[in-house]
Amino acid sequence: MNNKKTVSLVLGSGGARGYAHIGVIKELIKNDYDIKSISGSSIGALVGGLYAAGKLDEYEEWVANFDIFDILKLVDFSFNANGMINGDKVFNKIEEMIGNINIEDLPISFTATATDIKNRKEVWLQKGSLKDAIRASISIPTVFTPTTLKGTELFDGGILNPLPIVPTISEFSDLVIAVDLNSSLNIKKEHKSILKKPKGKIKQNITDFFQKNIKKKESLSYFEIINQSIETMQEVISRHQLASHQPDIMINISNKTCEFYDFHKAKELIKYGSIITKEILENTE
């Protein structure tokens, strides 16, 4: 007899903090939860889509040893007015992993949310190319160039719905578990050591370079303005979403764990996501 609890998993947006989703998924599987459907926004759509396609382990192995040099190598600046970065280097690698699979052919139900800015609409991508759906969902305005699907330019799902709980309502599962990457909760003392990344001399010098050359003392830099605007917007929208739709289990990842663009901190964030999930599951049993 199968006593596994089936889960509809909601994976929120939040930039680099999305690595914590990997830890969450690993801990759920470890505790015999059966993930039957995933609804994801932005980085949540990326991690959720990779899991649904059976490629999450491969992705984790790729990002686990990223340093700042690796991140810089993946940045392909665009001269397109729609975004600073094409994102082709990243997406080509992701396409290598998942291939040309369609969403309807995945073994579990999957929804990626995106935003039609022109018509001010949230778009649910539940059919067609998985890689195109992921690409659309993580197209942060002014940062990544948008994706055009069926003649419509689509941007990041987190603009209108950073925590897409509603697509899971019609799913037949025992539990809805949501992972919010924009929680304003403080990090517990015992968890702070997990998030400290050892820095070699060269890496530290690169960090110092960015701080000295990008960060201005008297005003916010361009990147800080984008970062703080996105963070504020997503935290407020997430609160409103949770006020109207409460999941059965809420996993809160503090927005203080890292900056939105700290994509060189995969190992630490994966471990953090796993530990937070373990504690929450122990308290719900």
Side-chain angles (χ1 to χ4, degrees), residues 12-24 43-44 47 179-184 187 195 227 230-232 234-235 238 252-263 265-266 268-270 272-273:
S13 63
R17 290 191 298 277
Y19 286 139
H21 288 321
I22 300 173
V24 172
I43 188 70
V47 173
V179 187
D180 182 12
L181 302 179
N182 299 291
S183 169
S184 58
I187 300 168
L195 298 166
N227 178 45
I230 292 171
E231 297 280 6
T232 302
Q234 294 191 344
E235 183 182 344
S238 292
N252 289 303
I253 303 298
S254 172
N255 58 17
K256 301 172 183 66
T257 53
C258 72
E259 297 292 343
F260 192 85
Y261 43 78
D262 280 345
F263 288 99
K265 295 183 177 180
E268 296 77 19
L269 290 159
I270 292 168
Y272 182 76

Side-chain angles (χ1 to χ4, degrees), residues 19 21-27 29-30 46-65 93 97-98 266 270:
Y19 286 139
H21 288 321
I22 300 173
V24 172
I25 290 172
K26 290 171 75 172
E27 197 62 33
I29 294 168
K30 185 178 175 182
L46 171 59
V47 173
L50 285 161
Y51 172 75
K55 300 297 180 180
L56 190 58
D57 289 344
E58 187 178 342
Y59 177 74
E60 180 184 358
E61 185 179 347
W62 180 49
V63 300
N65 294 306
K93 179 66 176 180
M97 293 181 192
I98 62 176
I270 292 168

Side-chain angles (χ1 to χ4, degrees), residues 7-252:
V7 170
S8 291
L9 185 60
V10 182
L11 301 177
S13 63
R17 290 191 298 277
Y19 286 139
H21 288 321
I22 300 173
V24 172
I25 290 172
K26 290 171 75 172
E27 197 62 33
L28 289 174
I29 294 168
K30 185 178 175 182
N31 285 273
D32 287 331
Y33 287 86
D34 185 10
I35 299 170
K36 288 293 188 184
S37 73
I38 292 178
S39 174
S41 178
S42 195
I43 188 70
L46 171 59
V47 173
L50 285 161
Y51 172 75
K55 300 297 180 180
L56 190 58
D57 289 344
E58 187 178 342
Y59 177 74
E60 180 184 358
E61 185 179 347
W62 180 49
V63 300
N65 294 306
F66 272 177
D67 59 25
I68 295 173
F69 277 126
D70 297 316
I71 302 302
L72 291 175
K73 287 176 186 175
L74 289 169
V75 175
D76 47 351
F77 287 101
S78 167
F79 296 101
N80 189 326
N82 289 332
M84 294 187 302
I85 300 170
N86 282 319
D88 290 343
K89 290 182 181 179
V90 174
F91 296 117
N92 287 343
K93 179 66 176 180
I94 291 168
E95 185 174 351
E96 280 180 28
M97 293 181 192
I98 62 176
N100 292 314
I101 191 168
N102 285 333
I103 294 171
E104 55 267 38
D105 296 326
L106 295 170
I108 65 174
S109 175
F110 177 76
T111 301
T113 64
T115 303
D116 175 357
I117 289 179
K118 185 177 179 181
N119 294 302
R120 301 181 182 181
K121 292 194 309 183
E122 178 183 342
V123 177
W124 293 1
L125 300 169
Q126 298 173 314
K127 291 182 179 179
S129 168
L130 175 62
K131 63 180 176 61
D132 288 348
I134 292 171
R135 176 68 176 85
S137 190
I138 63 176
S139 297
I140 303 167
T142 74
V143 179
F144 286 111
T145 53
T147 297
T148 301
L149 293 178
K150 295 182 179 179
T152 301
E153 277 194 336
L154 297 177
F155 290 84
D156 194 282
I159 297 170
L160 289 180
N161 198 348
L163 195 64
I165 296 175
V166 175
T168 67
I169 290 174
S170 62
E171 299 290 343
F172 292 98
S173 57
D174 298 320
L175 298 168
V176 173
I177 298 179
V179 187
D180 182 12
L181 302 179
N182 299 291
S183 169
S184 58
L185 292 174
N186 290 322
I187 300 168
K188 293 179 182 178
K189 265 185 189 177
E190 61 267 31
H191 295 155
K192 287 184 178 179
S193 61
I194 300 167
L195 298 166
K196 288 183 181 177
K197 186 176 182 69
K199 294 176 181 176
K201 189 175 180 181
I202 294 176
K203 293 178 190 176
Q204 184 62 58
N205 288 340
I206 293 172
T207 303
D208 290 342
F209 173 81
F210 276 105
Q211 288 176 341
K212 289 174 183 176
N213 290 278
I214 295 179
K215 188 174 182 179
K216 298 178 182 179
K217 291 181 181 179
E218 295 180 0
S219 62
L220 294 173
S221 74
Y222 180 75
F223 292 101
E224 287 173 317
I225 291 169
I226 292 174
N227 178 45
Q228 292 191 23
S229 298
I230 292 171
E231 297 280 6
T232 302
M233 175 187 73
Q234 294 191 344
E235 183 182 344
V236 172
I237 296 174
S238 292
R239 283 206 303 264
H240 283 288
Q241 292 280 16
L242 290 168
S244 56
H245 300 95
Q246 275 293 328
D248 298 293
I249 297 176
M250 186 77 231
I251 298 173
N252 289 303

